[in-house]
Short mmCIF file of all heavy atoms in Angstrom, two decimals:
data_model
loop_
_atom_site.label_atom_id
_atom_site.label_comp_id
_atom_site.label_asym_id
_atom_site.label_seq_id
_atom_site.Cartn_x
_atom_site.Cartn_y
_atom_site.Cartn_z
N GLU A 70 183.62 80.13 88.23
CA GLU A 70 182.54 80.79 87.50
C GLU A 70 181.84 79.81 86.57
O GLU A 70 180.61 79.82 86.44
CB GLU A 70 183.09 81.97 86.69
CG GLU A 70 182.04 82.76 85.94
CD GLU A 70 180.98 83.36 86.86
OE1 GLU A 70 181.32 83.74 87.99
OE2 GLU A 70 179.82 83.43 86.41
N VAL A 71 182.61 78.94 85.92
CA VAL A 71 182.01 77.92 85.05
C VAL A 71 181.18 76.96 85.87
O VAL A 71 180.10 76.53 85.44
CB VAL A 71 183.11 77.17 84.26
CG1 VAL A 71 182.55 75.90 83.62
CG2 VAL A 71 183.69 78.07 83.18
N PHE A 72 181.65 76.60 87.07
CA PHE A 72 180.86 75.73 87.94
C PHE A 72 179.51 76.36 88.27
O PHE A 72 178.48 75.70 88.26
CB PHE A 72 181.62 75.43 89.23
CG PHE A 72 180.77 74.77 90.28
CD1 PHE A 72 180.37 73.45 90.14
CD2 PHE A 72 180.34 75.48 91.40
CE1 PHE A 72 179.56 72.84 91.10
CE2 PHE A 72 179.55 74.88 92.36
CZ PHE A 72 179.15 73.56 92.21
N LYS A 73 179.50 77.67 88.58
CA LYS A 73 178.24 78.35 88.89
C LYS A 73 177.31 78.35 87.67
O LYS A 73 176.09 78.19 87.82
CB LYS A 73 178.52 79.78 89.35
CG LYS A 73 179.18 79.88 90.71
CD LYS A 73 179.10 81.28 91.29
CE LYS A 73 179.89 82.27 90.48
NZ LYS A 73 179.89 83.62 91.09
N MET A 74 177.88 78.51 86.48
CA MET A 74 177.06 78.45 85.27
C MET A 74 176.42 77.09 85.11
O MET A 74 175.23 76.97 84.78
CB MET A 74 177.92 78.78 84.05
CG MET A 74 178.40 80.22 83.96
SD MET A 74 179.56 80.45 82.60
CE MET A 74 178.58 79.90 81.21
N VAL A 75 177.21 76.04 85.34
CA VAL A 75 176.70 74.67 85.22
C VAL A 75 175.60 74.42 86.25
O VAL A 75 174.56 73.83 85.95
CB VAL A 75 177.85 73.66 85.39
CG1 VAL A 75 177.31 72.24 85.56
CG2 VAL A 75 178.79 73.72 84.20
N PHE A 76 175.82 74.88 87.49
CA PHE A 76 174.81 74.68 88.54
C PHE A 76 173.50 75.38 88.18
O PHE A 76 172.42 74.81 88.29
CB PHE A 76 175.32 75.20 89.88
CG PHE A 76 174.29 75.15 90.97
CD1 PHE A 76 173.92 73.94 91.54
CD2 PHE A 76 173.66 76.29 91.41
CE1 PHE A 76 172.96 73.88 92.53
CE2 PHE A 76 172.70 76.25 92.40
CZ PHE A 76 172.35 75.04 92.96
N ARG A 77 173.60 76.64 87.73
CA ARG A 77 172.38 77.37 87.38
C ARG A 77 171.67 76.73 86.19
O ARG A 77 170.44 76.67 86.16
CB ARG A 77 172.72 78.83 87.11
CG ARG A 77 173.15 79.61 88.35
CD ARG A 77 173.23 81.09 88.10
NE ARG A 77 174.35 81.46 87.26
CZ ARG A 77 175.47 82.03 87.70
NH1 ARG A 77 175.63 82.27 89.00
NH2 ARG A 77 176.44 82.36 86.87
N ALA A 78 172.43 76.24 85.22
CA ALA A 78 171.81 75.58 84.07
C ALA A 78 171.09 74.30 84.49
O ALA A 78 170.08 73.93 83.90
CB ALA A 78 172.87 75.27 83.01
N SER A 79 171.60 73.64 85.53
CA SER A 79 170.97 72.39 86.00
C SER A 79 169.60 72.63 86.61
O SER A 79 168.82 71.69 86.80
CB SER A 79 171.88 71.70 87.02
OG SER A 79 171.89 72.40 88.26
N LEU A 80 169.28 73.88 86.92
CA LEU A 80 167.98 74.22 87.52
C LEU A 80 166.90 74.43 86.47
O LEU A 80 165.74 74.64 86.82
CB LEU A 80 168.12 75.49 88.36
CG LEU A 80 169.17 75.46 89.48
CD1 LEU A 80 169.25 76.82 90.17
CD2 LEU A 80 168.85 74.37 90.49
N SER A 81 167.27 74.37 85.20
CA SER A 81 166.32 74.62 84.12
C SER A 81 165.28 73.51 84.02
O SER A 81 165.50 72.38 84.49
CB SER A 81 167.07 74.74 82.79
OG SER A 81 166.19 74.80 81.70
N PHE A 82 164.17 73.81 83.38
CA PHE A 82 163.12 72.81 83.15
C PHE A 82 163.29 72.10 81.81
O PHE A 82 162.57 71.16 81.50
CB PHE A 82 161.74 73.47 83.19
CG PHE A 82 161.49 74.42 82.04
CD1 PHE A 82 160.87 73.99 80.88
CD2 PHE A 82 161.90 75.74 82.11
CE1 PHE A 82 160.65 74.86 79.82
CE2 PHE A 82 161.68 76.62 81.07
CZ PHE A 82 161.06 76.17 79.91
N LYS A 83 164.26 72.51 81.01
CA LYS A 83 164.43 71.95 79.67
C LYS A 83 164.86 70.49 79.74
O LYS A 83 165.71 70.11 80.54
CB LYS A 83 165.46 72.76 78.88
CG LYS A 83 165.03 74.20 78.59
CD LYS A 83 165.91 74.82 77.52
CE LYS A 83 165.79 74.06 76.23
NZ LYS A 83 166.24 74.82 75.07
N GLU A 84 164.28 69.66 78.86
CA GLU A 84 164.56 68.23 78.87
C GLU A 84 165.99 67.92 78.46
O GLU A 84 166.56 66.92 78.90
CB GLU A 84 163.58 67.50 77.95
CG GLU A 84 162.13 67.56 78.41
CD GLU A 84 161.20 66.81 77.48
OE1 GLU A 84 161.71 66.23 76.49
OE2 GLU A 84 159.99 66.80 77.74
N ASP A 85 166.58 68.75 77.61
CA ASP A 85 167.92 68.47 77.10
C ASP A 85 169.02 69.19 77.86
O ASP A 85 170.16 69.25 77.41
CB ASP A 85 168.01 68.84 75.62
CG ASP A 85 167.80 70.34 75.37
OD1 ASP A 85 167.26 71.01 76.28
OD2 ASP A 85 168.15 70.82 74.29
N LYS A 86 168.71 69.74 79.03
CA LYS A 86 169.70 70.54 79.76
C LYS A 86 170.94 69.75 80.13
O LYS A 86 172.07 70.25 80.06
CB LYS A 86 169.06 71.14 81.02
CG LYS A 86 168.61 70.09 82.04
CD LYS A 86 168.00 70.72 83.26
CE LYS A 86 167.51 69.66 84.26
NZ LYS A 86 166.87 70.26 85.43
N LEU A 87 170.76 68.48 80.55
CA LEU A 87 171.90 67.69 80.99
C LEU A 87 172.85 67.40 79.83
O LEU A 87 174.08 67.47 79.99
CB LEU A 87 171.43 66.38 81.63
CG LEU A 87 172.51 65.46 82.20
CD1 LEU A 87 173.43 66.21 83.15
CD2 LEU A 87 171.89 64.26 82.89
N ASP A 88 172.32 67.11 78.67
CA ASP A 88 173.17 66.87 77.51
C ASP A 88 173.88 68.16 77.09
O ASP A 88 175.05 68.12 76.68
CB ASP A 88 172.35 66.32 76.34
CG ASP A 88 173.22 65.67 75.28
OD1 ASP A 88 173.84 64.63 75.58
OD2 ASP A 88 173.30 66.21 74.16
N CYS A 89 173.19 69.30 77.22
CA CYS A 89 173.82 70.59 76.91
C CYS A 89 174.98 70.87 77.86
O CYS A 89 176.04 71.36 77.44
CB CYS A 89 172.79 71.72 77.00
SG CYS A 89 171.57 71.74 75.68
N ILE A 90 174.80 70.56 79.14
CA ILE A 90 175.87 70.74 80.12
C ILE A 90 177.05 69.85 79.78
O ILE A 90 178.22 70.27 79.83
CB ILE A 90 175.36 70.44 81.54
CG1 ILE A 90 174.34 71.49 81.99
CG2 ILE A 90 176.51 70.36 82.54
CD1 ILE A 90 173.63 71.16 83.29
N TYR A 91 176.76 68.62 79.39
CA TYR A 91 177.83 67.67 79.05
C TYR A 91 178.63 68.16 77.85
O TYR A 91 179.87 68.14 77.87
CB TYR A 91 177.20 66.31 78.76
CG TYR A 91 178.20 65.20 78.49
CD1 TYR A 91 178.87 64.58 79.54
CD2 TYR A 91 178.47 64.77 77.20
CE1 TYR A 91 179.78 63.56 79.32
CE2 TYR A 91 179.38 63.75 76.96
CZ TYR A 91 180.03 63.16 78.02
OH TYR A 91 180.94 62.15 77.78
N ARG A 92 177.95 68.61 76.80
CA ARG A 92 178.65 69.10 75.59
C ARG A 92 179.45 70.36 75.92
O ARG A 92 180.54 70.56 75.37
CB ARG A 92 177.64 69.40 74.48
CG ARG A 92 176.73 68.25 74.11
CD ARG A 92 177.48 67.02 73.61
NE ARG A 92 176.64 65.83 73.71
CZ ARG A 92 177.08 64.61 73.48
NH1 ARG A 92 178.34 64.40 73.15
NH2 ARG A 92 176.27 63.56 73.62
N PHE A 93 178.92 71.18 76.79
CA PHE A 93 179.65 72.38 77.20
C PHE A 93 180.92 72.01 77.96
O PHE A 93 181.99 72.60 77.73
CB PHE A 93 178.74 73.26 78.07
CG PHE A 93 179.45 74.40 78.74
CD1 PHE A 93 179.76 75.55 78.03
CD2 PHE A 93 179.81 74.34 80.08
CE1 PHE A 93 180.43 76.61 78.65
CE2 PHE A 93 180.46 75.39 80.70
CZ PHE A 93 180.78 76.52 79.98
N LEU A 94 180.83 71.04 78.86
CA LEU A 94 181.99 70.64 79.64
C LEU A 94 183.07 70.00 78.78
O LEU A 94 184.27 70.12 79.09
CB LEU A 94 181.58 69.69 80.76
CG LEU A 94 180.80 70.33 81.92
CD1 LEU A 94 180.37 69.26 82.93
CD2 LEU A 94 181.63 71.41 82.61
N LEU A 95 182.70 69.33 77.71
CA LEU A 95 183.69 68.79 76.79
C LEU A 95 184.59 69.90 76.27
O LEU A 95 185.82 69.75 76.21
CB LEU A 95 183.00 68.09 75.61
CG LEU A 95 182.27 66.77 75.89
CD1 LEU A 95 181.58 66.27 74.63
CD2 LEU A 95 183.23 65.72 76.43
N LEU A 96 183.98 71.01 75.89
CA LEU A 96 184.76 72.15 75.41
C LEU A 96 185.49 72.84 76.56
O LEU A 96 186.63 73.29 76.40
CB LEU A 96 183.84 73.14 74.70
CG LEU A 96 183.30 72.74 73.33
CD1 LEU A 96 182.29 73.77 72.85
CD2 LEU A 96 184.43 72.62 72.32
N ALA A 97 184.83 72.94 77.70
CA ALA A 97 185.41 73.67 78.83
C ALA A 97 186.69 73.01 79.33
O ALA A 97 187.67 73.69 79.64
CB ALA A 97 184.39 73.77 79.96
N PHE A 98 186.71 71.69 79.42
CA PHE A 98 187.93 71.01 79.86
C PHE A 98 189.04 71.12 78.82
O PHE A 98 190.22 71.00 79.16
CB PHE A 98 187.63 69.54 80.18
CG PHE A 98 187.03 69.32 81.53
CD1 PHE A 98 185.72 68.88 81.66
CD2 PHE A 98 187.76 69.55 82.68
CE1 PHE A 98 185.16 68.67 82.91
CE2 PHE A 98 187.20 69.35 83.94
CZ PHE A 98 185.90 68.91 84.05
N HIS A 99 188.68 71.33 77.57
CA HIS A 99 189.69 71.48 76.51
C HIS A 99 190.25 72.90 76.47
O HIS A 99 191.47 73.10 76.35
CB HIS A 99 189.08 71.12 75.16
CG HIS A 99 190.03 71.28 74.01
ND1 HIS A 99 191.09 70.43 73.80
CD2 HIS A 99 190.09 72.20 73.01
CE1 HIS A 99 191.77 70.81 72.73
NE2 HIS A 99 191.17 71.88 72.22
N HIS A 100 189.37 73.91 76.57
CA HIS A 100 189.79 75.30 76.41
C HIS A 100 190.06 76.02 77.73
O HIS A 100 190.66 77.09 77.72
CB HIS A 100 188.74 76.07 75.62
CG HIS A 100 188.58 75.61 74.21
ND1 HIS A 100 189.51 75.85 73.23
CD2 HIS A 100 187.57 74.89 73.61
CE1 HIS A 100 189.10 75.32 72.09
NE2 HIS A 100 187.93 74.72 72.29
N GLY A 101 189.57 75.47 78.84
CA GLY A 101 189.79 76.12 80.11
C GLY A 101 188.84 77.28 80.34
O GLY A 101 187.77 77.37 79.71
N PRO A 102 189.19 78.23 81.22
CA PRO A 102 188.30 79.35 81.56
C PRO A 102 187.89 80.20 80.36
O PRO A 102 186.84 80.83 80.40
CB PRO A 102 189.15 80.18 82.53
CG PRO A 102 190.14 79.22 83.09
CD PRO A 102 190.45 78.26 81.99
N SER A 103 188.68 80.20 79.29
CA SER A 103 188.35 81.02 78.12
C SER A 103 187.14 80.50 77.35
O SER A 103 186.67 81.15 76.42
CB SER A 103 189.55 81.09 77.16
OG SER A 103 189.85 79.80 76.64
N VAL A 104 186.61 79.33 77.77
CA VAL A 104 185.47 78.75 77.05
C VAL A 104 184.26 79.68 77.08
O VAL A 104 183.43 79.68 76.16
CB VAL A 104 185.10 77.37 77.66
CG1 VAL A 104 184.50 77.54 79.06
CG2 VAL A 104 184.16 76.61 76.75
N THR A 105 184.14 80.50 78.13
CA THR A 105 182.98 81.39 78.24
C THR A 105 182.96 82.46 77.15
O THR A 105 181.93 83.09 76.94
CB THR A 105 182.97 82.07 79.62
OG1 THR A 105 184.21 82.76 79.83
CG2 THR A 105 182.78 81.04 80.73
N GLY A 106 184.09 82.67 76.49
CA GLY A 106 184.13 83.66 75.41
C GLY A 106 183.92 83.06 74.04
O GLY A 106 183.90 83.79 73.03
N ARG A 107 183.75 81.75 73.95
CA ARG A 107 183.60 81.07 72.67
C ARG A 107 182.12 80.89 72.32
O ARG A 107 181.61 79.78 72.17
CB ARG A 107 184.32 79.73 72.70
CG ARG A 107 185.80 79.83 73.06
CD ARG A 107 186.47 78.47 73.08
NE ARG A 107 186.52 77.87 71.74
CZ ARG A 107 187.47 78.10 70.84
NH1 ARG A 107 188.47 78.94 71.13
NH2 ARG A 107 187.45 77.50 69.66
#
Side-chain angles (χ1 to χ4, degrees):
E70 183 59 34
V71 166
F72 169 72
K73 290 196 294 184
M74 291 173 58
V75 168
F76 174 74
R77 291 191 289 256
S79 73
L80 303 176
S81 172
F82 68 93
K83 295 195 62 161
E84 294 181 2
D85 63 343
K86 64 179 178 182
L87 182 52
D88 198 66
C89 289
I90 292 172
Y91 185 78
R92 305 300 161 187
F93 170 78
L94 288 177
L95 290 177
L96 288 174
F98 279 112
H99 179 71
H100 295 287
S103 64
V104 70
T105 56
R107 304 180 66 86

